[in-house]
Coordinates of all heavy atoms in Angstrom, one line a residue:
M1 N 28.7 145.7 -2.8 CA 29.0 146.8 -3.6 C 29.4 146.3 -5.0 O 29.0 147.0 -6.0 CB 30.3 147.4 -3.0 CG 30.8 148.6 -3.8 SD 29.7 150.0 -3.5 CE 30.5 151.2 -4.3
A2 N 30.0 145.2 -5.2 CA 30.4 144.7 -6.6 C 29.0 144.2 -7.3 O 29.0 144.5 -8.5 CB 31.3 143.5 -6.4
R3 N 28.1 143.9 -6.5 CA 26.8 143.4 -7.1 C 26.1 144.6 -7.7 O 25.6 144.6 -8.8 CB 26.0 142.6 -6.2 CG 24.7 142.1 -6.9 CD 23.9 141.2 -5.9 NE 22.8 140.7 -6.6 CZ 21.6 140.8 -6.2 NH1 21.4 141.4 -5.0 NH2 20.5 140.3 -6.8
R4 N 26.1 145.6 -7.0 CA 25.5 146.9 -7.3 C 26.2 147.3 -8.6 O 25.5 147.8 -9.5 CB 25.5 148.0 -6.3 CG 25.0 149.2 -6.8 CD 25.1 150.3 -5.7 NE 24.2 150.2 -4.7 CZ 24.0 151.0 -3.5 NH1 25.1 151.8 -3.3 NH2 23.0 150.8 -2.7
F5 N 27.4 147.3 -8.7 CA 28.1 147.8 -9.9 C 27.8 147.0 -11.1 O 27.6 147.5 -12.2 CB 29.7 147.9 -9.6 CG 30.4 148.2 -10.9 CD1 30.5 149.5 -11.4 CD2 31.0 147.3 -11.8 CE1 31.2 149.9 -12.5 CE2 31.8 147.7 -12.8 CZ 31.8 148.9 -13.2
W6 N 27.6 145.7 -10.9 CA 27.4 144.8 -12.0 C 26.0 145.2 -12.6 O 25.8 145.1 -13.7 CB 27.5 143.4 -11.6 CG 27.1 142.3 -12.6 CD1 26.0 141.6 -12.6 CD2 27.7 142.0 -13.8 NE1 25.8 140.8 -13.8 CE2 26.9 141.1 -14.4 CE3 28.8 142.5 -14.4 CZ2 27.3 140.7 -15.7 CZ3 29.2 142.0 -15.7 CH2 28.3 141.1 -16.2
L7 N 25.1 145.5 -11.6 CA 23.7 145.7 -12.1 C 23.6 146.9 -12.8 O 22.9 147.2 -13.8 CB 22.7 145.9 -10.9 CG 22.4 144.4 -10.2 CD1 21.6 144.7 -9.0 CD2 21.7 143.5 -11.1
L8 N 24.5 148.0 -12.5 CA 24.6 149.2 -13.2 C 25.3 149.1 -14.6 O 25.0 149.7 -15.6 CB 25.3 150.3 -12.4 CG 24.7 150.8 -11.2 CD1 25.6 151.8 -10.3 CD2 23.3 151.5 -11.6
A9 N 26.3 148.1 -14.6 CA 27.0 148.0 -15.9 C 26.3 147.0 -16.9 O 26.8 147.0 -18.0 CB 28.3 147.3 -15.4
C10 N 25.3 146.3 -16.5 CA 24.7 145.4 -17.3 C 23.2 145.9 -17.7 O 22.3 145.8 -16.9 CB 24.5 144.0 -16.6 SG 23.9 142.7 -17.7
P11 N 23.2 146.4 -18.8 CA 21.9 147.0 -19.3 C 20.9 145.8 -19.6 O 21.2 144.7 -19.8 CB 22.2 147.9 -20.6 CG 23.5 147.2 -21.1 CD 24.1 146.6 -20.0
S12 N 19.5 146.3 -19.9 CA 18.5 145.3 -20.2 C 18.8 144.8 -21.7 O 19.6 145.4 -22.3 CB 17.2 146.0 -20.1 OG 17.1 147.1 -21.1
R13 N 18.1 143.9 -21.9 CA 18.2 143.2 -23.4 C 18.0 144.3 -24.4 O 18.7 144.5 -25.5 CB 17.3 142.1 -23.6 CG 17.7 140.9 -23.0 CD 16.9 139.8 -23.5 NE 17.1 138.5 -22.8 CZ 18.0 137.7 -23.2 NH1 18.8 137.8 -24.1 NH2 18.2 136.6 -22.4
R14 N 16.9 145.1 -24.2 CA 16.5 146.3 -25.1 C 17.7 147.2 -25.2 O 18.1 147.7 -26.3 CB 15.2 146.9 -24.7 CG 14.8 148.1 -25.7 CD 13.6 148.7 -25.1 NE 12.6 148.7 -26.2 CZ 11.4 149.0 -26.0 NH1 11.0 149.6 -24.8 NH2 10.6 149.0 -27.0
G15 N 18.2 147.6 -24.0 CA 19.3 148.5 -23.9 C 20.5 148.0 -24.7 O 21.3 148.7 -25.4
L16 N 20.8 146.7 -24.5 CA 21.8 146.0 -25.2 C 21.8 146.0 -26.7 O 22.7 146.3 -27.4 CB 22.0 144.6 -24.6 CG 23.4 144.0 -24.9 CD1 24.5 144.7 -24.3 CD2 23.3 142.6 -24.2
R17 N 20.5 145.8 -27.2 CA 20.3 145.8 -28.6 C 20.6 147.3 -29.2 O 21.3 147.4 -30.2 CB 18.9 145.4 -28.9 CG 18.6 144.0 -28.8 CD 17.1 143.7 -29.2 NE 16.8 142.4 -28.7 CZ 15.6 142.1 -28.3 NH1 14.7 143.0 -28.4 NH2 15.4 140.8 -27.8
V18 N 20.0 148.1 -28.5 CA 20.3 149.7 -28.9 C 21.8 150.0 -28.9 O 22.3 150.6 -29.8 CB 19.4 150.7 -28.0 CG1 19.9 152.0 -28.2 CG2 18.0 150.5 -28.2
L19 N 22.4 149.6 -27.9 CA 23.9 149.7 -27.7 C 24.7 149.1 -28.9 O 25.5 149.7 -29.4 CB 24.4 149.1 -26.5 CG 26.0 149.4 -26.1 CD1 26.3 150.8 -26.0 CD2 26.4 148.6 -24.9
I20 N 24.3 147.8 -29.2 CA 24.9 147.2 -30.4 C 24.7 147.9 -31.6 O 25.6 148.1 -32.5 CB 24.5 145.7 -30.5 CG1 25.2 144.8 -29.3 CG2 24.9 145.1 -31.8 CD1 24.6 143.6 -29.1
L21 N 23.4 148.3 -31.8 CA 23.1 149.1 -33.1 C 23.9 150.5 -33.2 O 24.4 150.7 -34.2 CB 21.6 149.3 -33.3 CG 20.8 148.2 -33.6 CD1 19.4 148.5 -33.5 CD2 21.2 147.6 -34.9
C22 N 24.0 151.1 -32.0 CA 24.7 152.4 -31.9 C 26.2 152.2 -32.2 O 26.9 152.9 -32.9 CB 24.4 153.1 -30.7 SG 22.7 153.7 -30.6
L23 N 26.7 151.2 -31.6 CA 28.2 150.9 -31.8 C 28.5 150.4 -33.1 O 29.4 150.8 -33.7 CB 28.6 149.9 -30.8 CG 28.9 150.3 -29.4 CD1 29.1 149.2 -28.4 CD2 29.9 151.4 -29.3
G24 N 27.6 149.7 -33.8 CA 27.8 149.4 -35.2 C 27.8 150.6 -36.1 O 28.7 150.6 -37.0
A25 N 27.0 151.6 -35.9 CA 26.9 152.8 -36.7 C 28.3 153.6 -36.4 O 28.8 154.2 -37.2 CB 25.7 153.6 -36.2
L26 N 28.7 153.5 -35.2 CA 30.0 154.2 -34.7 C 31.1 153.6 -35.4 O 32.1 154.4 -35.8 CB 30.1 154.2 -33.1 CG 31.1 154.9 -32.5 CD1 30.7 156.6 -32.9 CD2 31.2 154.8 -31.1
V27 N 31.1 152.2 -35.5 CA 32.2 151.7 -36.3 C 32.2 152.1 -37.8 O 33.4 152.4 -38.3 CB 32.1 150.0 -36.2 CG1 33.1 149.3 -37.1 CG2 32.4 149.6 -34.7
L28 N 31.0 152.1 -38.4 CA 30.9 152.6 -39.8 C 31.4 154.1 -39.8 O 32.2 154.4 -40.7 CB 29.5 152.5 -40.2 CG 29.1 151.2 -40.6 CD1 27.6 151.1 -41.0 CD2 30.0 150.7 -41.9
A29 N 31.0 155.0 -38.9 CA 31.5 156.3 -38.9 C 33.0 156.4 -38.8 O 33.7 157.2 -39.4 CB 30.9 157.1 -37.8
A30 N 33.6 155.6 -37.9 CA 35.0 155.6 -37.6 C 35.7 155.2 -39.0 O 36.7 155.7 -39.4 CB 35.4 154.8 -36.6
K31 N 35.2 154.1 -39.7 CA 35.7 153.6 -40.9 C 35.7 154.8 -42.0 O 36.7 155.0 -42.7 CB 35.0 152.5 -41.5 CG 35.3 151.2 -40.7 CD 36.4 150.6 -41.2 CE 36.3 150.1 -42.6 NZ 37.5 149.5 -43.1
Y32 N 34.6 155.5 -42.0 CA 34.6 156.7 -42.9 C 35.5 157.8 -42.6 O 36.1 158.5 -43.5 CB 33.1 157.2 -43.0 CG 32.2 156.4 -43.7 CD1 30.9 156.0 -43.2 CD2 32.4 155.9 -45.0 CE1 30.0 155.2 -43.9 CE2 31.7 155.1 -45.7 CZ 30.4 154.8 -45.1 OH 29.5 154.0 -45.9
F33 N 35.7 158.1 -41.3 CA 36.6 159.0 -40.8 C 38.0 158.7 -41.2 O 38.9 159.5 -41.7 CB 36.6 159.3 -39.3 CG 35.4 160.1 -38.9 CD1 34.7 159.8 -37.7 CD2 34.9 161.1 -39.7 CE1 33.6 160.5 -37.3 CE2 33.7 161.8 -39.3 CZ 33.1 161.5 -38.1
N34 N 38.3 157.3 -41.0 CA 39.7 156.8 -41.3 C 40.0 156.9 -42.8 O 41.1 157.3 -43.3 CB 39.8 155.4 -40.9 CG 41.3 154.8 -41.0 OD1 42.2 155.5 -41.0 ND2 41.2 153.5 -41.5
T35 N 39.0 156.6 -43.7 CA 39.0 156.7 -45.0 C 39.3 158.2 -45.5 O 40.2 158.5 -46.4 CB 37.9 156.2 -45.8 OG1 37.6 154.9 -45.5 CG2 37.9 156.3 -47.2
A36 N 38.6 159.0 -45.0 CA 38.8 160.6 -45.1 C 40.3 161.0 -44.8 O 41.0 161.6 -45.6 CB 37.9 161.4 -44.4
I37 N 40.7 160.6 -43.7 CA 42.1 160.9 -43.2 C 43.1 160.3 -44.1 O 44.0 161.1 -44.7 CB 42.4 160.3 -41.8 CG1 41.6 161.1 -40.8 CG2 43.9 160.4 -41.5 CD1 41.6 160.6 -39.4
E38 N 43.0 159.1 -44.7 CA 43.8 158.4 -45.5 C 43.9 159.1 -46.8 O 45.0 159.4 -47.5 CB 43.5 156.9 -45.7 CG 44.0 156.1 -44.5 CD 43.8 154.6 -44.7 OE1 43.4 154.2 -45.7 OE2 44.1 153.9 -43.7
R39 N 42.8 159.5 -47.4 CA 42.7 160.2 -48.8 C 43.3 161.5 -48.6 O 44.0 162.0 -49.6 CB 41.3 160.3 -49.1 CG 40.8 158.9 -49.7 CD 39.3 159.0 -50.3 NE 38.9 157.7 -50.6 CZ 37.8 157.4 -51.2 NH1 36.9 158.4 -51.3 NH2 37.4 156.2 -51.5
V40 N 43.1 162.3 -47.5 CA 43.6 163.6 -47.4 C 45.2 163.6 -47.4 O 45.9 164.3 -47.9 CB 43.0 164.4 -46.3 CG1 43.9 165.6 -46.0 CG2 41.6 164.7 -46.5
V41 N 45.6 162.6 -46.4 CA 46.9 162.4 -46.3 C 47.8 161.9 -47.6 O 48.7 162.5 -48.0 CB 47.3 161.4 -45.2 CG1 48.7 161.0 -45.2 CG2 47.0 162.0 -43.9
N42 N 47.2 161.1 -48.4 CA 47.7 160.6 -49.6 C 47.8 161.8 -50.7 O 48.7 161.8 -51.5 CB 46.9 159.5 -50.2 CG 47.2 158.3 -49.5 OD1 48.2 158.1 -48.7 ND2 46.3 157.2 -49.5
H43 N 46.7 162.7 -50.7 CA 46.7 163.8 -51.5 C 47.7 164.9 -51.1 O 48.4 165.4 -52.0 CB 45.4 164.5 -51.5 CG 45.2 165.6 -52.4 ND1 45.2 165.5 -53.8 CD2 45.1 167.0 -52.0 CE1 45.1 166.7 -54.2 NE2 45.0 167.6 -53.1
L44 N 47.9 165.1 -49.9 CA 48.8 166.2 -49.5 C 50.3 165.8 -49.3 O 51.2 166.4 -49.5 CB 48.4 166.7 -48.1 CG 47.1 167.6 -48.0 CD1 46.7 167.9 -46.6 CD2 47.0 168.7 -49.0
S45 N 50.4 164.4 -49.1 CA 51.8 163.9 -48.9 C 52.0 162.6 -49.7 O 51.9 161.5 -49.2 CB 52.1 163.6 -47.5 OG 53.4 163.1 -47.3
P46 N 52.2 162.8 -50.9 CA 52.4 161.5 -51.9 C 53.5 160.6 -51.5 O 53.5 159.5 -51.6 CB 52.4 161.9 -53.3 CG 52.4 163.5 -53.3 CD 52.3 163.9 -51.9
G47 N 54.6 161.3 -51.0 CA 55.8 160.5 -50.5 C 55.6 160.1 -49.1 O 54.6 160.4 -48.4
Q48 N 56.5 159.3 -48.6 CA 56.4 158.8 -47.2 C 57.0 159.9 -46.2 O 58.0 160.4 -46.6 CB 57.3 157.5 -47.1 CG 56.8 156.3 -47.9 CD 57.1 155.1 -47.3 OE1 57.9 154.9 -46.4 NE2 56.6 154.0 -47.9
H49 N 56.2 160.0 -45.2 CA 56.6 161.0 -44.2 C 56.1 160.4 -42.8 O 55.1 159.9 -42.7 CB 55.8 162.3 -44.5 CG 56.4 163.5 -43.6 ND1 55.9 163.7 -42.4 CD2 57.3 164.5 -44.0 CE1 56.6 164.8 -42.0 NE2 57.4 165.3 -43.0
P50 N 56.9 160.7 -41.8 CA 56.5 160.1 -40.5 C 55.2 160.6 -39.9 O 54.4 159.9 -39.3 CB 57.7 160.5 -39.6 CG 58.8 161.0 -40.5 CD 58.2 161.2 -41.8
L51 N 54.9 161.9 -40.2 CA 53.7 162.5 -39.7 C 52.4 161.9 -40.5 O 51.3 161.8 -39.9 CB 53.7 164.0 -39.9 CG 54.6 164.8 -38.8 CD1 54.5 166.2 -39.2 CD2 54.3 164.5 -37.5
A52 N 52.7 161.6 -41.8 CA 51.5 161.0 -42.6 C 51.3 159.7 -42.0 O 50.1 159.1 -41.9 CB 51.9 160.9 -44.0
K53 N 52.3 158.9 -41.7 CA 52.2 157.6 -41.1 C 51.5 157.6 -39.7 O 50.5 156.8 -39.5 CB 53.4 156.8 -41.0 CG 53.4 155.4 -40.5 CD 54.8 154.9 -40.3 CE 54.7 153.4 -39.7 NZ 53.9 153.2 -38.7
A54 N 51.9 158.6 -39.0 CA 51.2 158.8 -37.7 C 49.7 159.0 -37.7 O 48.9 158.5 -37.0 CB 52.0 159.8 -36.9
A55 N 49.4 159.9 -38.8 CA 47.9 160.3 -39.0 C 47.2 159.0 -39.4 O 46.1 158.7 -38.9 CB 47.8 161.3 -40.0
K56 N 47.7 158.2 -40.4 CA 47.1 157.1 -40.8 C 46.9 156.0 -39.6 O 45.8 155.3 -39.5 CB 47.8 156.4 -42.0 CG 47.7 157.2 -43.2 CD 48.3 156.5 -44.4 CE 48.1 157.2 -45.6 NZ 48.7 156.5 -46.8
D57 N 48.0 155.9 -38.8 CA 47.9 155.0 -37.7 C 46.9 155.3 -36.7 O 46.3 154.6 -36.1 CB 49.3 154.8 -37.1 CG 50.2 154.0 -37.9 OD1 49.8 153.4 -38.9 OD2 51.5 154.1 -37.6
A58 N 46.6 156.7 -36.4 CA 45.8 157.2 -35.4 C 44.4 157.0 -36.0 O 43.5 156.5 -35.2 CB 45.9 158.7 -35.2
G59 N 44.1 157.0 -37.3 CA 42.8 156.7 -37.8 C 42.5 155.3 -37.6 O 41.4 154.9 -37.4
S60 N 43.4 154.4 -38.0 CA 43.2 153.0 -37.8 C 43.1 152.5 -36.4 O 42.2 151.6 -36.1 CB 44.5 152.2 -38.3 OG 44.6 152.4 -39.7
A61 N 43.7 153.1 -35.5 CA 43.6 152.9 -34.1 C 42.1 153.2 -33.6 O 41.4 152.6 -32.9 CB 44.5 153.7 -33.2
G62 N 41.6 154.5 -34.1 CA 40.2 154.8 -33.8 C 39.2 153.8 -34.2 O 38.2 153.4 -33.5
V63 N 39.4 153.1 -35.5 CA 38.5 152.1 -36.0 C 38.7 150.9 -35.1 O 37.7 150.2 -34.8 CB 38.8 151.8 -37.5 CG1 38.1 150.5 -37.9 CG2 38.6 153.0 -38.4
A64 N 40.0 150.5 -34.7 CA 40.0 149.3 -33.9 C 39.5 149.4 -32.5 O 38.8 148.5 -32.0 CB 41.6 149.1 -33.7
L65 N 39.5 150.7 -31.9 CA 38.9 150.9 -30.6 C 37.4 150.8 -30.8 O 36.7 150.1 -29.9 CB 39.3 152.2 -30.1 CG 40.7 152.3 -29.5 CD1 41.0 153.8 -29.2 CD2 40.9 151.4 -28.3
T66 N 36.8 151.3 -31.7 CA 35.4 151.4 -31.8 C 34.9 149.8 -32.2 O 33.8 149.4 -31.7 CB 34.7 152.3 -32.9 OG1 35.4 152.1 -34.1 CG2 35.0 153.7 -32.5
A67 N 35.6 149.1 -33.0 CA 35.2 147.7 -33.3 C 35.5 147.0 -32.0 O 34.6 146.0 -31.7 CB 36.2 147.2 -34.4
G68 N 36.5 147.2 -31.2 CA 36.7 146.4 -29.9 C 35.4 146.6 -29.1 O 35.0 145.7 -28.4
A69 N 34.9 147.9 -29.0 CA 33.8 148.1 -28.1 C 32.6 147.6 -28.6 O 31.8 147.0 -27.8 CB 33.6 149.8 -28.1
A70 N 32.4 147.4 -29.8 CA 31.3 146.8 -30.4 C 31.3 145.3 -30.1 O 30.3 144.6 -29.8 CB 31.1 147.0 -31.9
G71 N 32.6 144.7 -30.2 CA 32.9 143.3 -29.9 C 32.5 143.1 -28.5 O 31.9 142.0 -28.2
V72 N 32.9 143.9 -27.6 CA 32.6 143.7 -26.1 C 31.1 143.6 -25.9 O 30.5 142.8 -25.2 CB 33.1 144.7 -25.2 CG1 32.8 144.6 -23.8 CG2 34.7 144.6 -25.3
A73 N 30.3 144.6 -26.7 CA 28.9 144.5 -26.4 C 28.2 143.2 -27.0 O 27.4 142.7 -26.4 CB 28.3 145.7 -27.2
W74 N 28.9 142.7 -28.2 CA 28.4 141.4 -28.7 C 28.6 140.3 -27.8 O 27.8 139.4 -27.6 CB 29.0 141.1 -30.0 CG 28.2 141.7 -31.2 CD1 28.6 142.8 -31.9 CD2 27.1 141.2 -31.7 NE1 27.6 143.0 -32.9 CE2 26.7 142.1 -32.7 CE3 26.2 140.1 -31.3 CZ2 25.4 141.9 -33.5 CZ3 25.1 139.8 -32.1 CH2 24.8 140.9 -33.2
V75 N 29.8 140.4 -27.1 CA 30.0 139.3 -26.0 C 29.0 139.2 -24.9 O 28.5 138.2 -24.5 CB 31.5 139.4 -25.5 CG1 31.8 138.6 -24.2 CG2 32.6 139.1 -26.5
F76 N 28.8 140.5 -24.4 CA 27.6 140.6 -23.5 C 26.3 140.2 -23.9 O 25.6 139.4 -23.2 CB 27.5 142.0 -22.8 CG 28.5 142.3 -21.8 CD1 29.8 143.1 -22.0 CD2 28.4 141.8 -20.4 CE1 30.6 143.3 -21.0 CE2 29.4 142.0 -19.4 CZ 30.4 142.8 -19.8
A77 N 26.0 140.5 -25.2 CA 24.7 140.1 -25.8 C 24.6 138.4 -25.9 O 23.6 137.9 -25.5 CB 24.4 140.7 -27.1
L78 N 25.7 137.9 -26.3 CA 25.7 136.5 -26.5 C 25.8 135.8 -25.2 O 25.3 134.7 -25.0 CB 27.0 136.1 -27.4 CG 26.8 136.6 -28.8 CD1 28.1 136.3 -29.7 CD2 25.5 136.0 -29.6
W79 N 26.5 136.3 -24.2 CA 26.5 135.8 -22.9 C 25.1 135.7 -22.3 O 24.8 134.8 -21.6 CB 27.5 136.6 -22.1 CG 27.7 135.9 -20.6 CD1 26.9 135.4 -19.9 CD2 28.9 135.9 -20.0 NE1 27.5 135.0 -18.6 CE2 28.8 135.3 -18.7 CE3 30.2 136.4 -20.4 CZ2 29.8 135.2 -17.8 CZ3 31.2 136.2 -19.5 CH2 31.1 135.6 -18.2
G80 N 24.3 136.7 -22.5 CA 23.0 136.8 -22.0 C 22.2 135.7 -22.7 O 21.1 135.3 -22.1
L81 N 22.5 135.1 -23.9 CA 21.7 134.2 -24.5 C 22.0 132.7 -23.8 O 21.1 131.8 -24.1 CB 22.0 134.1 -26.0 CG 21.4 135.4 -26.8 CD1 22.0 135.1 -28.1 CD2 19.9 135.4 -26.7
L82 N 23.0 132.7 -23.2 CA 23.4 131.3 -22.6 C 22.6 130.9 -21.4 O 22.2 131.8 -20.7 CB 24.9 131.2 -22.3 CG 25.8 131.3 -23.5 CD1 27.4 131.4 -23.0 CD2 25.6 130.2 -24.5

């Protein structure tokens, strides 16, 4: 059963390349969304406010999650080269 799951979770080299490219684009999109959130928050709330901080932190967490997913894909890609 564990071997079957591993085969389903491990895509082909071509699929891995596509996954890495897509995740790279997703990281860029997350960075742009985070920048947009920060600019809007800074415009609407020039002073410090707990909700403004929470919005900025959520945007940064989204970038971190997508970058982490891309990192995991890179680890699998590099592991396949060994």
Side-chain angles (χ1 to χ4, degrees):
M1 183 71 174
R3 184 171 182 236
R4 176 186 277 173
F5 176 75
W6 175 250
L7 291 174
L8 291 174
C10 186
S12 66
R13 284 193 190 268
R14 178 184 238 175
L16 197 55
R17 286 183 198 145
V18 170
L19 180 66
I20 287 173
L21 288 174
C22 290
L23 285 173
L26 193 62
V27 170
L28 283 176
K31 288 279 292 171
Y32 286 129
F33 288 143
N34 185 38
T35 300
I37 289 169
E38 288 187 359
R39 288 185 180 181
V40 168
V41 167
N42 288 341
H43 177 73
L44 295 177
S45 177
Q48 294 204 358
H49 193 278
L51 292 177
K53 181 183 181 319
K56 288 183 176 184
D57 289 345
S60 296
V63 174
L65 284 173
T66 55
V72 168
W74 271 105
V75 166
F76 276 106
L78 293 175
W79 187 317
L81 293 175
L82 297 177

